[in-house]
Amino acid sequence: MLYLFFFFFFFFFSPGLSSKGISVVLKKMPAACDSVLEDIEDIVSAQDPKPHDRQFVRKNVFPKVRKRSSQQNTQTDDDPPSDSIIPGVQKIWIRTWGCSHNNSDGEYMAGQLAAYGYKITDNSAEADLWLLNSCTVKNPAEDHFRNSIKKAQEGNKKVVLAGCVPQAQPRQDYLKGLSIIGVQQIDRVVEVVEETIKGHSVRLLGQKKDNGKRLGGARLDLPKIRKNPLIEIISINTGCLNACTYCKTKHARGDLASYPIEELVDRAKQSFQEGVCEIWLTSEDTGAYGRDIGTDLPTLLWKLVEVIPEGAMLRLGMTNPPYILEHLEEMAKILNHPRVYAFLHIPVQSASDSVLMDMKREYCVADFKRVVDFLKEKVPGITIATDIICGFPGETDEDFQETMKLVEQYRFPSLFINQFYPRPGTPAAKMHQVPAAVKKQRTKDLSQLFHSYNPYDHKQKGKLLHLCLTRRKRVVHELWRTEVGERQRVLVTEESFDSNYYVAHNPFYEQVLVPKDPVLMGKMVEVNIYEAGKHFMKGQPVSDARVYTASITRPLAKGEVSGLTEEFRHAPRNGTNWKGHPSAEIPVKTSFSPWMPLQLPWQQEGSGLKILSVSLALLAVLVMLYYRGMKTEL
């Protein structure tokens, strides 16, 4: 722009280019320009067709009628142009499958959309757009995801896909032409939804990095709508250090990337200030936390314990055996803390070392037993939950019997039994498969073993109350009655599925059903246990016991947005929301333009100086023209 300014300056003020100089230039033009037409019609030569000739030719021209598709016309009438659609006023239905990490991502996406103005609805039929947050662990979960996409398309709903399935395999046929947001890009969900509503296809699958180092994911202080206003799910890291041969989640979440301790503590503080009374720590492997940033899980837990108010509780997520072995002493101390549930989820997957080797689990059965035995000794009453895969490729009957013996020995109160499903792209999918009938039978046998014992036997005294008959065989339903007067302190956080009770958890994270009294919700109370079943106990609140109110303030209402700071309240609503986020620098690929978001020249960085330069140059030209005009008149 400065070059333009100097050009005009030189042009007007150079002594060789006066008004006389300009006239000389004009005189040197070709002679053909010197002839002057007296009438415009003189341009027409004698050889040109006359008007009546044109009219005669026009009579012999017959226009061809072009038929237009009625279906196309209907489509055009029904779908207004994208620039006539006002984003931020539509209704959105969100469906999430899978783990706590996925649920946390879904809550964050709902919060950002609500903060922007979209209405989050529980009614899928009335929604304008479906946001489907998927899980890739097992085939049935992906089947449900695929069926939901088909149902949305049949109902003419706009669709945005999220979660591990599209992140791991974005080129699958049934995902073609659909908008996708990656697991690390959930802070840009508003942009993706907005463009999808306009009719565009947007795909955001990049990874966040800082100086080449992979980050944990989206910011933790984003707006969120908690499914349960009393429970905050915090992802402490994403990805893992393992390379299990059956795992598809690794393809989606990648290698380990941990959040800094300060950010996690700040998120916990914010949650308690919003009325939360229970925190869940989650990730693909909580035990591996911090190994990429020079810290570890016990260090994080001790920092979090310092900010947990009286009456609130902390629950740890899943950890694999290899990464908990070196911290057993510290973990036992933390799990004995009165504000930490004496609960730990440690997947074993199989009790056969040969199967574990084929799985590349990086531990043996003896390592698992060492962890469980140590914690049971040092943390009396601890609840150990575990996972088992039935029918992994190469698993023999002897291998499976070893697993049955392990379950019978430890009588796990919480056991997640999974039939093996080969996931596309994993090494296990290429191994020699166990017949489907065998996998099904082993899953059934293990399930029967699990249902044959009562995990609360060591806490109960009573007798068998009733038997019932089924069509095939006699099944014993155990219902035990405890001694009157046994007391437990429980934290009430949710409602039971049948809506007849409130659900609470005791210090060992065992489920206790209490009367549906609104006064109890969000409170820690003492109850007398009077009944127990396979997966629950029932308790009656003690009248003279103290009630602890964990919340620092009133809990948010259901559906209310958490973390709606001033930054998000005043964020620009122009499709490039949350400009302060590092992820906003990542281009968005769309079907209508190579890159998104689109920007006009004056919206680009550093454009202020360019605009000023152009303005000054034009102003200088106008002033000089005016000056020379005045000089000519004089």
Side-chain angles (χ1 to χ4, degrees):
M1 297 307 167
L2 293 177
Y3 293 118
L4 181 63
F5 174 82
F6 287 127
F7 170 77
F8 280 110
F9 182 87
F10 175 78
F11 181 81
F12 283 99
F13 288 96
S14 174
L17 283 177
S18 61
S19 57
K20 294 181 180 179
I22 295 174
S23 62
V24 170
V25 173
L26 292 176
K27 289 178 181 179
K28 291 182 180 180
M29 292 180 69
C33 296
D34 296 338
S35 60
V36 179
L37 293 175
E38 296 182 355
D39 191 51
I40 191 67
E41 292 181 1
D42 292 344
I43 297 177
V44 181
S45 68
Q47 289 77 23
D48 289 335
K50 302 297 185 292
H52 63 85
D53 295 329
R54 293 194 188 97
Q55 185 66 24
F56 175 79
V57 173
R58 194 173 298 165
K59 290 179 181 180
N60 295 294
V61 176
F62 297 93
K64 183 178 180 181
V65 179
R66 181 178 296 176
K67 295 183 179 180
R68 301 181 65 182
S69 172
S70 59
Q71 183 177 0
Q72 183 178 358
N73 293 340
T74 306
Q75 182 74 15
T76 305
D77 295 338
D78 291 342
D79 295 339
S82 61
D83 57 0
S84 69
I85 297 175
I86 303 175
V89 298
Q90 290 78 13
K91 295 179 180 179
I92 298 177
W93 179 65
I94 302 176
R95 173 74 188 276
T96 295
W97 293 265
C99 63
S100 298
H101 197 163
N102 252 24
N103 278 278
S104 178
D105 288 350
E107 292 178 349
Y108 274 124
M109 289 189 284
Q112 293 173 87
L113 291 168
Y116 192 77
Y118 292 101
K119 181 181 178 182
I120 308 302
T121 179
D122 294 328
N123 188 341
S124 60
E126 71 174 12
D128 302 292
L129 180 142
W130 287 13
L131 175 55
L132 304 176
N133 190 17
S134 62
C135 172
T136 190
V137 172
K138 294 188 291 187
N139 290 12
E142 183 171 351
D143 291 340
H144 288 304
F145 175 62
R146 185 188 297 109
N147 293 336
S148 295
I149 295 174
K150 183 178 179 181
K151 187 175 180 181
Q153 292 172 329
E154 291 173 350
N156 294 322
K157 306 290 185 182
K158 302 290 187 180
V159 183
V160 172
L161 309 179
C164 294
V165 171
Q167 178 73 55
Q169 289 183 294
R171 293 182 177 85
Q172 293 189 83
D173 289 340
Y174 72 93
L175 303 179
K176 288 182 178 178
L178 299 176
S179 291
I180 294 175
I181 183 165
V183 294
Q184 282 203 310
Q185 304 297 331
I186 60 172
D187 54 349
R188 300 188 68 183
V189 66
V190 174
E191 297 176 54
V192 177
V193 165
E194 181 174 324
E195 294 303 327
T196 303
I197 287 175
K198 291 178 180 179
H200 306 141
S201 176
V202 184
R203 293 197 167 195
L204 260 181
L205 293 167
Q207 292 192 352
K208 296 183 181 300
K209 293 184 178 180
D210 182 17
N211 294 325
K213 179 178 174 57
R214 184 171 177 269
L215 299 178
R219 289 167 42 173
L220 293 174
D221 60 349
L222 294 172
K224 170 187 273 196
I225 295 181
R226 301 184 182 95
K227 289 186 177 179
N228 186 336
L230 298 174
I231 299 176
E232 165 71 4
I233 306 173
I234 302 179
S235 303
I236 62 175
N237 57 264
T238 186
C240 67
L241 295 173
N242 294 340
C244 300
T245 56
Y246 58 83
C247 183
K248 188 70 177 176
T249 306
K250 176 77 173 187
H251 296 187
R253 298 283 183 178
D255 293 327
L256 179 69
S258 305
Y259 286 97
I261 289 180
E262 313 82 61
E263 293 183 17
L264 295 167
V265 172
D266 289 342
R267 182 68 197 181
K269 289 179 180 178
Q270 177 187 332
S271 303
F272 291 127
Q273 291 169 357
E274 293 173 340
V276 165
C277 62
E278 187 170 290
I279 286 184
W280 297 358
L281 300 185
T282 185
S283 73
E284 283 64 59
D285 188 351
T286 58
Y289 170 80
R291 288 174 174 253
D292 58 321
I293 57 174
T295 185
D296 53 44
L297 180 62
T299 303
L300 168 65
L301 295 177
W302 286 124
K303 291 291 185 181
L304 288 172
V305 164
E306 294 176 2
V307 301
I308 300 176
E310 186 177 12
M313 296 295 290
L314 173 69
R315 193 196 81 172
L316 273 69
M318 185 273 290
T319 176
N320 286 311
Y323 307 112
I324 200 77
L325 276 169
E326 61 188 76
H327 302 306
L328 283 179
E329 289 283 353
E330 284 298 300
M331 290 303 300
K333 294 177 184 178
I334 292 168
L335 292 171
N336 274 310
H337 195 281
R339 297 175 191 174
V340 179
Y341 285 118
F343 168 88
L344 201 57
H345 180 191
I346 314 172
V348 64
Q349 305 300 5
S350 174
S352 167
D353 285 341
S354 62
V355 173
L356 291 176
M357 185 177 297
D358 290 340
M359 291 180 175
K360 288 192 176 180
R361 290 291 289 169
E362 300 184 3
Y363 61 87
C364 60
V365 179
D367 294 332
F368 174 81
K369 290 183 176 181
R370 180 186 167 195
V371 173
V372 175
D373 293 341
F374 183 89
L375 293 177
K376 279 182 170 290
E377 178 186 354
K378 299 294 184 180
V379 189
I382 187 175
T383 297
I384 300 291
T386 194
D387 298 356
I388 289 176
I389 297 176
C390 296
F392 186 81
E395 183 186 61
T396 64
D397 289 337
E398 292 75 16
D399 295 330
F400 180 68
Q401 289 305 315
E402 290 296 322
T403 301
M404 294 283 282
K405 291 177 183 177
L406 182 75
V407 174
E408 199 165 355
Q409 176 185 352
Y410 287 98
R411 300 168 74 89
F412 301 103
S414 183
L415 180 62
F416 302 95
I417 303 170
N418 304 291
Q419 179 179 318
F420 174 75
Y421 291 96
R423 301 298 291 133
T426 61
K430 301 177 183 178
M431 298 179 181
H432 181 69
Q433 303 296 309
V434 173
V438 176
K439 291 192 292 185
K440 187 175 181 180
Q441 185 61 47
R442 289 176 182 173
T443 303
K444 184 177 179 181
D445 292 344
L446 186 57
S447 299
Q448 287 180 347
L449 173 60
F450 174 65
H451 289 289
S452 69
Y453 62 83
N454 191 320
Y456 304 133
D457 283 352
H458 63 289
K459 299 180 181 180
Q460 317 302 324
K461 288 185 180 180
K463 62 178 182 179
L464 188 65
L465 292 182
H466 71 277
L467 302 175
C468 71
L469 292 175
T470 64
R471 292 181 180 179
R472 295 186 179 180
K473 63 180 181 178
R474 199 175 188 183
V475 179
V476 179
H477 290 273
E478 299 185 31
L479 189 63
W480 298 87
R481 187 162 287 150
T482 64
E483 284 186 313
V484 177
E486 180 182 348
R487 287 194 176 188
Q488 292 184 357
R489 182 178 292 181
V490 299
L491 179 59
V492 185
T493 55
E494 50 194 321
E495 187 178 294
S496 62
F497 286 112
D498 59 10
S499 300
N500 294 328
Y501 299 91
Y502 279 160
V503 177
H505 292 92
N506 63 15
F508 312 105
Y509 204 69
E510 296 166 334
Q511 184 170 270
V512 180
L513 303 179
V514 299
K516 196 174 178 181
D517 182 356
V519 177
L520 300 178
M521 185 57 73
K523 307 292 194 305
M524 181 173 283
V525 299
E526 285 190 351
V527 298
N528 282 326
I529 303 296
Y530 65 88
E531 187 178 304
K534 172 66 177 177
H535 300 291
F536 69 90
M537 290 179 281
K538 290 183 180 179
Q540 184 66 36
V542 179
S543 58
D544 60 342
R546 179 183 173 187
V547 176
Y548 293 89
T549 302
S551 303
I552 297 175
T553 184
R554 177 191 65 82
L556 300 178
K558 188 173 179 61
E560 189 174 351
V561 181
S562 154
L564 197 56
T565 60
E566 289 302 312
E567 174 186 357
F568 297 104
R569 290 181 190 277
H570 302 294
R573 297 177 55 147
N574 61 357
T576 56
N577 56 311
W578 322 146
K579 286 186 177 179
H581 290 200
S583 64
E585 300 171 3
I586 303 174
V588 186
K589 200 168 184 179
T590 69
S591 60
F592 64 94
S593 175
W595 299 105
M596 273 291 299
L598 298 176
Q599 287 186 323
L600 296 175
W602 52 83
Q603 293 176 316
Q604 299 173 358
E605 290 187 12
S607 59
L609 182 58
K610 296 177 182 178
I611 296 172
L612 181 61
S613 300
V614 173
S615 302
L616 289 174
L618 292 176
L619 180 61
V621 171
L622 292 174
V623 170
M624 286 185 288
L625 288 174
Y626 177 78
Y627 168 77
R628 294 195 65 81
M630 293 290 293
K631 186 175 181 180
T632 304
E633 291 179 3
L634 293 175

